[in-house]
Amino acid sequence: MMDDYLSFEQIPFGSDSFANNPEPRCPCVLLLDTSGSMAGKPLDELNAGIQVFKKELMRDSLACKRVEIAMVTFGPVTVQSHFETVPNFHPKELNTTGDTPMGEAILMGIDLVAQRKKVYKENGIAYYKPWIILITDGSPTDEYAEAAEKIIVGENAKAFAFFAIGVEGADFNILNKIAARKPLKLKGLLFREFFIWLSASMKMVSVKEIGSTINLIPPIGWAEL
Amino acid sequence: MTWKVIASSVIGTTHIESNTSCEDAFNYTIINNNGNEVVIACICDGAGSAAYAKEAAQLVTTLTIDTITAFIAKGTLISKALLIDVIESIHDELRLLSLKQDKPFEDFACTFLCAVLFNNQSIFMQIGDGVIIQEDHNNGYAAIWWPDNGEYINSTFFITDDDYLSHLKITIIHHPINEMAILTDGLQSLVLNSETSSVHQPFCWNLFKWLRMATSTDEVTILQGKLEEYLNSDTINTRTNDDKTLFLATRISSTDD
């Protein structure tokens, strides 16, 4: 039954995203390190980068309907926004918070992706392989073995693609142990360049046939190779 | 009240730009048949190339409802043969109108979609495109027939065609259905997935969810307004520029409060 306090006038008739948008979805989760060490310039640049990400995707009408973004910050691990198509993704200004529970954040990202796939299936919506993007400038302050194992299992099962991006100060020894793909190092604080690359990659994925293999755009301009 | 029904025809954006009118028409009635409510619905899409498409669509929907209502009131058994007679008489009425007005018959071209829902059987008829969708008793929705567009996507068949009877589809299902949607081709691309030849389920789930929830005629009236708003919204208008009609009916189950 409807809640008595919600009038029938207010029901969202005809506003369901899956009802109005049968396009296949291309989910992308951002796992963002907002620990104390990101304070100041790094976080400012990260915030600006996320805005650029949205702006770049908004320029592509197909990507607007297909790409869905979710955003998780740590620590503590917080879902800043659940999966939304680009026009409905309204990234909040991020602030630095506590420590770096990277393992828990990764498990959350993997869980969000699994849940989203279930929703797609229930709604008869086709989908592309999800991307999980980790951005960190430190090393985990929690246990990360389970996360690392789940990444390997997920990558092998083609359940998702996991990318680790280290900012100056990140522990690449540990990132190498966590990510099945080789972690990349961000040049300086070139978050904008990174997010332009990510949006271009998402656009490229979202125009392909589902299941087709893609050649990633080389990470030129933002990564130290 | 056994049935909750909402329906609306809304002019397409290209018809607004060209200053023409909405050439879709619908008509429906709910009549009492020995203590059971029967829904009779008819929807026609007037051909864009036909000068009197709007008049034709309105005449056909009205005649269909009136004729079938009269047969049911008399207790006449509704057979396929009788329904073919009904369509032939409507075709003839339309021809008579064109003769009276001294206009070419093809200027009265329109498609034809009709459903009659009894408590123990369901009748469907169709000429041309548009689609009638029924619930499949398994929380899903299925088209009675896939839209008949002929060879080209922008062409179809009309009740005024010389060989209209060869494009007339009739089926009588001997069990009740509890939910039905009828829509004209303006909404086809939003509701039908041509790649998989299936109904886009979330579209139906989302709209029927609210109609099922309505508990009074006031709430059904609110939904009627919301349906018109929805068909007029950017959400719809960015995806179709044609006239669009949507008819939704849901039977109140005996287990409902």
Side-chain angles (χ1 to χ4, degrees):
Chain A
M1 281 304 293
M2 292 287 294
D3 186 82
D4 285 340
Y5 296 101
L6 174 66
S7 105
F8 212 73
E9 287 278 4
Q10 290 166 308
I11 61 156
F13 185 87
S15 67
D16 181 73
S17 167
F18 293 126
N20 294 312
N21 178 5
E23 291 289 341
R25 299 302 206 274
C26 184
C28 174
V29 186
L30 303 175
L31 304 178
L32 307 173
D33 182 343
T34 50
S35 61
S37 55
M38 285 288 286
K41 195 106 194 332
L43 198 70
D44 291 346
E45 291 300 314
L46 176 61
N47 276 319
I50 294 164
Q51 296 297 335
V52 168
F53 183 44
K54 173 169 178 167
K55 209 171 123 199
E56 287 294 318
L57 287 170
M58 283 297 284
R59 289 163 49 172
D60 186 310
S61 62
L62 199 59
C64 277
K65 290 180 190 148
R66 293 186 169 184
V67 175
E68 287 193 338
I69 308 157
M71 195 161 78
V72 175
T73 54
F74 58 97
V77 174
T78 310
V79 179
Q80 295 289 347
S81 61
H82 284 276
F83 283 107
E84 291 284 3
T85 50
V86 182
N88 297 318
F89 171 60
H90 301 291
K92 287 173 268 186
E93 188 83 9
L94 303 175
N95 294 307
T96 50
T97 43
D99 53 356
T100 316
M102 196 186 297
E104 191 193 335
I106 292 167
L107 292 177
M108 170 67 84
I110 293 172
D111 194 41
L112 285 177
V113 159
Q115 284 175 27
R116 194 61 180 168
K117 282 189 186 180
K118 194 161 162 270
V119 172
Y120 293 149
K121 278 186 195 139
E122 285 166 359
N123 284 279
I125 300 284
Y127 52 88
Y128 297 87
K129 189 200 270 190
W131 282 26
I132 303 173
I133 315 279
L134 171 76
I135 300 180
T136 179
D137 73 335
S139 58
T141 52
D142 66 349
E143 187 50 59
Y144 59 85
E146 189 191 350
E149 197 188 316
K150 284 205 167 167
I151 289 171
I152 290 175
V153 170
E155 289 269 12
N156 287 340
K158 299 192 192 311
F160 54 79
F162 182 91
F163 300 92
I165 315 300
V167 185
E168 187 65 47
D171 186 335
F172 278 86
N173 279 332
I174 291 180
L175 283 185
N176 268 310
K177 285 182 199 160
I178 290 177
R181 294 162 199 266
K182 193 174 163 18
L184 291 166
K185 184 171 184 207
L186 190 73
K187 215 186 267 178
L189 291 173
L190 296 183
F191 282 110
R192 289 170 219 242
E193 288 74 6
F194 164 73
F195 277 108
I196 289 171
W197 170 86
L198 182 61
S199 65
S201 303
M202 297 310 295
K203 285 181 204 172
M204 203 178 71
V205 171
S206 67
V207 297
K208 295 263 178 161
E209 291 290 316
I210 286 176
S212 63
T213 52
I214 56 151
N215 296 310
L216 287 177
I217 303 171
I220 292 167
W222 60 269
E224 286 185 8
L225 298 171
Chain B
M1 186 164 78
T2 309
W3 286 96
K4 290 180 281 189
V5 173
I6 53 174
S8 180
S9 280
V10 169
I11 187 167
T13 51
T14 49
H15 281 174
I16 295 173
E17 281 160 22
S18 63
N19 212 6
T20 47
S21 54
C22 179
E23 289 162 350
D24 278 7
F26 73 89
N27 202 332
Y28 73 89
T29 187
I30 300 171
I31 59 167
N32 189 304
N33 178 45
N34 302 323
N36 294 310
E37 282 187 359
V38 180
V39 176
I40 311 168
C42 184
I43 288 159
C44 295
D45 177 356
S49 56
Y52 302 96
K54 185 184 174 179
E55 289 81 349
Q58 287 172 347
L59 179 70
V60 171
T61 54
T62 306
L63 281 176
T64 304
I65 300 298
D66 291 351
T67 312
I68 295 175
T69 301
F71 278 123
I72 294 173
K74 276 190 289 186
T76 312
L77 180 75
I78 310 280
S79 64
K80 261 191 189 179
L82 178 81
L83 292 167
I84 293 171
D85 283 348
V86 169
I87 309 291
E88 281 184 315
S89 71
I90 291 167
H91 173 91
D92 293 345
E93 283 286 338
L94 208 52
R95 189 182 288 280
L96 206 62
L97 181 70
S98 76
L99 290 171
K100 267 189 206 158
Q101 298 195 358
D102 198 22
K103 297 288 187 302
F105 192 31
E106 55 269 25
D107 273 352
F108 294 81
C110 66
T111 65
F112 177 74
L113 295 151
C114 179
V116 187
L117 307 179
F118 292 88
N119 63 331
N120 56 1
Q121 68 171 1
S122 317
I123 296 168
F124 305 100
M125 294 184 276
Q126 179 164 350
I127 299 172
D129 61 13
V131 65
I132 305 172
I133 293 167
Q134 63 159 334
E135 50 100 16
D136 64 3
H137 297 278
N138 192 26
N139 194 32
Y141 295 87
I144 303 286
W145 296 286
W146 202 248
D148 203 347
N149 279 106
E151 184 178 4
Y152 304 109
I153 187 68
N154 60 350
S155 72
T156 190
F157 304 107
F158 302 110
I159 196 167
T160 48
D161 292 347
D162 288 340
D163 57 350
Y164 71 105
L165 285 179
S166 67
H167 296 294
L168 170 65
K169 289 173 285 197
I170 301 179
T171 188
I172 300 177
I173 299 172
H174 292 283
H175 63 73
I177 66 154
N178 297 316
E179 259 163 17
M180 177 186 71
I182 308 179
L183 48 106
T184 53
D185 79 323
L187 289 174
Q188 269 173 208
S189 64
L190 284 75
V191 186
L192 301 180
N193 184 338
S194 55
E195 274 171 43
T196 54
S197 292
S198 62
V199 172
H200 179 54
Q201 302 293 328
F203 188 92
C204 293
W205 287 333
N206 184 248
L207 300 186
F208 278 115
K209 178 173 77 183
W210 304 114
L211 188 56
R212 237 175 272 141
M213 211 178 263
T215 50
S216 65
T217 47
D218 283 352
E219 287 181 345
V220 174
T221 307
I222 290 170
L223 289 182
Q224 172 67 36
K226 285 185 176 288
L227 175 64
E228 278 161 36
E229 274 172 39
Y230 177 55
L231 292 180
N232 259 322
S233 68
D234 285 348
T235 307
I236 299 283
N237 284 337
T238 52
R239 298 176 63 201
T240 180
N241 52 19
D242 197 1
D243 295 341
K244 56 257 169 177
T245 299
L246 184 58
F247 173 97
L248 300 171
T250 190
R251 193 195 297 264
I252 298 167
S253 70
S254 50
T255 54
D256 276 1
D257 291 334

